[in-house]
Amino acid sequence: MGKYWAYFKLSLQTILEYRGDMVIYTLNNGAMPLVGLLIWLAAASGGAKLAIAAPDLIVYFLLAAWVNIVVFSWGSWYVYEIIDKGDFYKYLIKPFSLAWGFAAENGAQQVLKTVVISAVILIIAVVLSRSYPLHLRVTPLSLLLFLPSLVMTGLIVFYIELCLGLTAFWVYDIDFLTNTYNMLNQLLSGRLIPLVFLPAGLASASTFMPFRYTLSFPIEVLLNKVGGYEELLGFMIQIIWLGATFVLYRLLYQQGAKNYQGFGG
Amino acid sequence: MKYYLRIFLALINTASKRYLEYRWNTFGNLVTSTLSLILVIFFVDIIFSQTNNIAGWTKPEVLFFVGTFRVFSSLLSFLYLRSINFIPKYIQRGDLDMFLVKPVNVQFYVSLCFTRVYEIINLLPGIVLIGYALQSLGGVSWEGWLLLLGGVICGLLIFYGLYFMCATLAFWFVQFNSLTSIYFVANSFLCFPTDVFGKNGSLVFTYLIPLGFIVTVPVRIFLAKDPPLFLILSVFFAALSLWLSVKFWNYALKHYTSASS
């Protein structure tokens, strides 16, 4: 474990050295939920009778921007580059796990991004609170349940990203897969549309799809938007998706490593 | 001029051969592009199931905007996006030396050396959406089409200048990997009319950072929401953006110290 901690600290130092990059990455991750918020606020100010009031929409999207950054992973590109450049052999001969190594590097970036985005969101919230009565309706229990849900959300995103990257063992370019996943995720995770706005059938189906558990679910838990049976079902489905993505990662890794043909002189 | 046109055509020819080698990638990109368009239409549909207009834009108008944005983003991906994305790497690795010794304008070459020919196919979903939206918007005069075309060309030049200046910053940064993230951030703010960002936001994105002149203003002119004279402002911003990018690039070149041995 010590080597990963050392790698985490090394990654932290590297990121601190290139702070500009990190700020731009943070803006990129936070942009979409904020654009989503502005679009829905424009709709609300145009007289739309939304299922969520404007102040609650603001709270939702600010939390979405925050969660989006906290759980963000760029594992697909990390793994793709390693396989594509023929560097995967290093992980076959060294006692250094691909997933843990990436977790250390990604984690270091997330720590700093979280600090930046928390400050940005706080400023936006203060500015918007002049025009809208913002309330964060959180109870000690919802906060307690939010934390494990957030951790599981982070792990699901982490393993999905790794799985997408591992497909590079079999395909030349993973753009098609990652783009398709990202587009579906953009719409069905709650990044642009709170799931309550989806058509009834799709909203019900989203309960069983993985996308909800990559963003929306922990926010719903924190804001007490789900409760009782629905909340329990949500946690069970989230655990199932976590298990499924982990098993898929292991399978892809093992099969890929067997098929892997490194190149180089 | 003929010399540069010949070089540009030769670059397209090379890129075509490269992409024809990976035909399934080209097909995959068309599928992704079409799927993304379907999802955007779905998104617009959901918004307009709750309201009749957003910041003064009706559903057919927003669909027309989205179609135009798709055409714009396909053209910029075809022309210069990939090439500009590589600039920080050339500078970081010292590969720029290779371009500096070529008998060609360096800015021209680094901006267009990696055209993405398959992006031309991605124009199709955007054009289909424009056609679909026009069924509800009614007929448009040929002057309207000319104004739109002029506006989109100006938009391409404005975006080129702004993005190229961002890439030029790599001369001063030791590592500049986040250039594509700047594109994605800009893309997030371009994919919807700037009017949705409120009065102040719209002013910022129109006159301070002229992102509004890239797609929103041309579409507004086309839909007669803005007078055709606004195109003059588009031309002004396009010329300014291009001029600044050239000046900044030439200034930056003076600070270039090769990284190679």
Side-chain angles (χ1 to χ4, degrees), chain B residues 156-213:
Chain B
L156 283 166
L157 290 172
I158 293 169
F159 193 83
Y160 166 79
L162 295 175
Y163 198 52
F164 191 83
M165 281 190 276
C166 290
T168 307
L169 289 172
F171 280 99
W172 289 274
F173 298 148
V174 183
Q175 189 174 304
F176 190 28
N177 294 330
S178 55
L179 183 65
T180 46
S181 292
I182 293 178
Y183 166 71
F184 288 126
V185 172
N187 216 31
S188 306
F189 288 96
L190 280 173
C191 64
F192 243 75
T194 47
D195 303 75
V196 303
F197 305 135
K199 219 173 206 171
N200 295 335
S202 185
L203 280 174
V204 168
F205 284 120
T206 306
Y207 297 104
L208 199 62
I209 314 165
L211 291 181
F213 277 95

Side-chain angles (χ1 to χ4, degrees), chain A residues 14 18 20-22 24-25 27-29 31-32 34-36 38-40 42-43 46-51 81 85 172-173 175-177 179-180 183-184 187-188 192-193 196-199 202, chain B residues 22 25 28-29 31-33 35-40 42-43 46-47 49-51 53-55 89 93 116 118 174-182 184-185 187-189 191-192 195-197:
Chain A
T14 312
Y18 305 113
D21 268 351
M22 205 264 306
I24 295 166
Y25 289 140
L27 285 176
N28 181 25
N29 296 150
M32 219 14 129
L34 293 179
V35 170
L38 292 170
I39 292 169
W40 286 107
K49 286 178 183 169
L50 304 175
E81 290 240 323
K85 286 181 181 164
Y172 163 73
D173 193 339
D175 273 10
F176 171 65
L177 276 169
N179 288 344
T180 306
M183 279 184 290
L184 289 170
L187 278 187
L188 297 169
L192 273 174
I193 310 168
V196 69
F197 289 157
L198 291 177
L202 193 60
Chain B
Y22 304 110
N25 272 21
N29 276 302
V31 172
T32 314
S33 172
L35 182 68
S36 105
L37 198 68
I38 292 168
L39 292 175
V40 171
F42 173 67
F43 175 55
I46 288 176
I47 296 173
S49 68
Q50 314 275 334
T51 183
N53 84 85
I54 294 181
K89 280 193 178 168
R93 294 177 187 166
R116 272 179 151 172
Y118 66 79
V174 183
Q175 189 174 304
F176 190 28
N177 294 330
S178 55
L179 183 65
T180 46
S181 292
I182 293 178
F184 288 126
V185 172
N187 216 31
S188 306
F189 288 96
C191 64
F192 243 75
D195 303 75
V196 303
F197 305 135

Side-chain angles (χ1 to χ4, degrees), chain B:
Chain B
M1 192 71 184
K2 264 187 183 174
Y3 175 63
Y4 281 96
L5 190 65
R6 268 195 3 244
I7 294 174
F8 180 56
L9 291 175
L11 290 170
I12 290 181
N13 188 25
T14 316
S16 316
K17 284 174 183 159
R18 194 182 310 132
Y19 285 109
L20 280 173
E21 206 177 327
Y22 304 110
R23 284 179 289 274
W24 282 105
N25 272 21
T26 308
F27 174 73
N29 276 302
L30 179 64
V31 172
T32 314
S33 172
T34 311
L35 182 68
S36 105
L37 198 68
I38 292 168
L39 292 175
V40 171
I41 295 168
F42 173 67
F43 175 55
V44 171
D45 215 46
I46 288 176
I47 296 173
F48 281 95
S49 68
Q50 314 275 334
T51 183
N52 290 327
N53 84 85
I54 294 181
W57 290 69
T58 62
K59 186 178 170 185
E61 287 171 347
V62 170
L63 288 176
F64 185 86
F65 176 93
V66 172
T68 311
F69 170 71
R70 287 281 145 172
V71 168
F72 160 79
S73 67
S74 300
L75 286 174
L76 83 91
S77 298
F78 159 59
L79 286 169
Y80 56 74
L81 185 67
R82 190 172 161 85
S83 308
I84 295 180
N85 284 341
F86 275 117
I87 291 174
K89 280 193 178 168
Y90 299 147
I91 298 166
Q92 197 183 334
R93 294 177 187 166
D95 293 344
L96 194 67
D97 302 9
M98 203 171 64
F99 300 112
L100 290 172
V101 294
K102 285 187 194 298
V104 63
N105 179 292
V106 187
Q107 183 173 353
F108 168 84
Y109 197 83
V110 294
S111 302
L112 297 169
C113 59
F114 282 113
T115 52
R116 272 179 151 172
V117 182
Y118 66 79
E119 285 289 345
I120 289 289
I121 303 168
N122 291 338
L123 286 172
L124 199 67
I127 292 169
V128 169
L129 186 58
I130 286 175
Y132 173 74
L134 275 178
Q135 285 183 335
S136 308
L137 290 170
V140 185
S141 64
W142 63 270
E143 291 99 324
W145 286 112
L146 274 182
L147 287 168
L148 183 69
L149 183 69
V152 170
I153 291 171
C154 287
L156 283 166
L157 290 172
I158 293 169
F159 193 83
Y160 166 79
L162 295 175
Y163 198 52
F164 191 83
M165 281 190 276
C166 290
T168 307
L169 289 172
F171 280 99
W172 289 274
F173 298 148
V174 183
Q175 189 174 304
F176 190 28
N177 294 330
S178 55
L179 183 65
T180 46
S181 292
I182 293 178
Y183 166 71
F184 288 126
V185 172
N187 216 31
S188 306
F189 288 96
L190 280 173
C191 64
F192 243 75
T194 47
D195 303 75
V196 303
F197 305 135
K199 219 173 206 171
N200 295 335
S202 185
L203 280 174
V204 168
F205 284 120
T206 306
Y207 297 104
L208 199 62
I209 314 165
L211 291 181
F213 277 95
I214 294 173
V215 188
T216 304
V217 170
V219 173
R220 283 186 66 91
I221 294 172
F222 182 84
L223 297 171
K225 286 170 179 277
D226 278 338
L229 276 175
F230 264 56
L231 193 63
I232 296 171
L233 272 177
S234 286
V235 174
F236 167 75
F237 277 118
L240 180 71
S241 172
L242 203 60
W243 181 76
L244 283 175
S245 76
V246 172
K247 288 284 165 196
F248 190 41
W249 173 256
N250 289 337
Y251 173 73
L253 270 184
K254 287 177 190 161
H255 291 81
Y256 177 59
T257 48
S258 173
S260 55
S261 55

